[in-house]
């Protein structure tokens, strides 16, 4: 009976660990108690989007198994590295990777700094990811960041998802889609949030036309004077 009880505890812990990787702990706790998870409004968060440059053509030259293996290598690398920062991985969609800081646990004004350091880390890390079927090839990341308000909540009953909504999400996505290979494209809002720290190397990109937004003044995030990327 003691062995059965211990085994049951282990299985329950495994199930809880898996659930906490799919949903924030606070949300999972409410769902386990069959409570309704209320959507929350956040005044300021920072959202990161990235994708792989030329992924469509890379995928076209691979078998389905090779595509999955390549993305798994990439995401295992990213998932391991983001644990060093106060961020929450929202989801992956194909080759796109979405991370946020400032929710579900608010962290004051630190969200822009956390995402900025993480993005520098990931852009450096992607060059180390091995593509099993292309040993001499290297992946390149295109990244975008924006800071602003958003709403977060759980949608769906089967496979419930913790999703973010609002213009901040759309703008962060636009920063990524108008970025360049191995570059971190940031909005004016993120630039201003990072100025408080005076630790970042940032270069003005200028005004660019952004679909659905018109002309926007944007910047390139180049580095951090006080922080060296993990080896």
């Amino acid at each position: 009976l003691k062995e059965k009880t211990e085994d049951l505890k282990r299985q329950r812990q495994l199930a809880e660990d898996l659930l906490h990787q799919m949903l924030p702990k606070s949300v999972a706790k409410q769902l386990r108690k069959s409570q309704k998870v209320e959507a929350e409004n956040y005044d300021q968060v920072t959202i990161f989007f990235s994708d792989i440059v030329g992924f469509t053509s890379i995928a076209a030259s691979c078998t389905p198994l090779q595509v999955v293996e390549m993305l798994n290598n990439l995401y295992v690398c990213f998932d391991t590295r983001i644990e060093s920062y106060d961020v929450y991985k929202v989801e992956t969609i194909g080759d796109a990777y979405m991370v946020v800081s400032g929710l579900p646990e608010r962290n004051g004004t630190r969200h822009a700094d956390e995402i900025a350091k993480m993005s520098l880390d990931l852009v450096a890390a992607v060059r180390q990811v091995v593509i099993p079927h292309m040993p001499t090839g290297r992946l390149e990341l295109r990244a975008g960041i924006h800071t602003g308000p958003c709403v977060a909540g759980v949608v769906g009953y089967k496979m419930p998802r913790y999703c973010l909504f609002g213009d901040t999400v759309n703008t962060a996505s636009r920063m990524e889609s108008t970025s360049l290979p191995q570059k971190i494209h940031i909005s004016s809002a993120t630039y201003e949030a990072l100025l408080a720290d005076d630790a970042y190397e940032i270069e003005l990109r200028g005004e660019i036309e952004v679909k659905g937004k018109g002309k926007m003044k944007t910047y390139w995030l180049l580095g951090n004077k006080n922080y060296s990327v993990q080896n």
Side-chain angles (χ1 to χ4, degrees), residues 72-114:
N72 187 56
N73 281 0
L74 177 70
Y75 293 153
V76 165
C77 170
F78 282 10
D79 290 349
T80 304
R81 295 179 93 87
I82 70 171
E83 286 179 356
S84 303
Y85 307 96
D86 182 13
V87 300
Y88 176 73
K89 175 184 166 184
V90 183
E91 62 183 342
T92 56
I93 309 160
D95 64 316
Y97 196 80
M98 180 184 180
V99 185
V100 64
S101 182
L103 66 78
E105 304 300 328
R106 290 172 174 81
N107 57 5
T109 57
R110 285 186 14 247
H111 46 86
D113 181 49
E114 293 292 326

Side-chain angles (χ1 to χ4, degrees), residues 12-214:
R12 185 176 177 180
Q13 190 61 52
L14 284 170
E16 282 192 9
D17 290 347
L18 183 60
L19 184 62
H20 292 159
Q21 287 183 39
M22 297 167 72
L23 291 166
K25 283 186 180 181
S26 55
V27 171
K29 191 176 178 181
Q30 291 176 69
L31 286 174
R32 277 205 311 275
K33 292 179 178 177
S34 301
Q35 294 175 348
K36 186 183 177 185
V37 181
E38 296 292 340
E40 255 190 281
N41 190 62
Y42 294 85
D43 293 333
Q44 285 284 294
V45 301
T46 298
I47 299 172
F48 167 94
F49 275 96
S50 70
D51 75 348
I52 300 301
V53 178
F55 177 74
T56 306
S57 56
I58 293 171
S61 64
C62 309
T63 66
L65 191 61
Q66 287 171 334
V67 173
V68 171
E69 193 175 8
M70 174 178 67
L71 284 178
N72 187 56
N73 281 0
L74 177 70
Y75 293 153
V76 165
C77 170
F78 282 10
D79 290 349
T80 304
R81 295 179 93 87
I82 70 171
E83 286 179 356
S84 303
Y85 307 96
D86 182 13
V87 300
Y88 176 73
K89 175 184 166 184
V90 183
E91 62 183 342
T92 56
I93 309 160
D95 64 316
Y97 196 80
M98 180 184 180
V99 185
V100 64
S101 182
L103 66 78
E105 304 300 328
R106 290 172 174 81
N107 57 5
T109 57
R110 285 186 14 247
H111 46 86
D113 181 49
E114 293 292 326
I115 288 286
K117 286 190 291 193
M118 179 209 75
S119 63
L120 290 165
D121 195 345
L122 297 191
V123 165
V126 72
R127 305 296 288 163
Q128 310 303 319
V129 176
V130 176
I131 313 171
H133 60 283
M134 293 167 58
T136 57
R138 282 293 177 267
L139 297 173
E140 288 187 308
L141 204 66
R142 180 169 42 221
I145 305 173
H146 179 54
T147 301
C150 83
V151 171
V154 174
V155 297
Y157 171 66
K158 293 198 174 186
M159 288 185 68
R161 302 286 292 278
Y162 186 70
C163 298
L164 311 188
F165 304 94
D167 189 58
T168 300
V169 179
N170 300 332
T171 305
S173 178
R174 295 281 183 242
M175 289 298 100
E176 178 270 313
S177 61
T178 52
S179 187
L180 294 173
Q182 290 301 102
K183 289 276 198 178
I184 303 165
H185 191 203
I186 68 172
S187 66
S188 293
T190 302
Y191 168 71
E192 286 165 17
L194 293 176
L195 276 183
D197 204 4
D198 193 32
Y200 287 94
E201 295 168 38
I202 298 171
E203 181 183 278
L204 176 67
R205 183 182 190 178
E207 281 199 341
I208 63 160
E209 189 70 33
V210 178
K211 187 180 175 184
K213 306 294 294 179

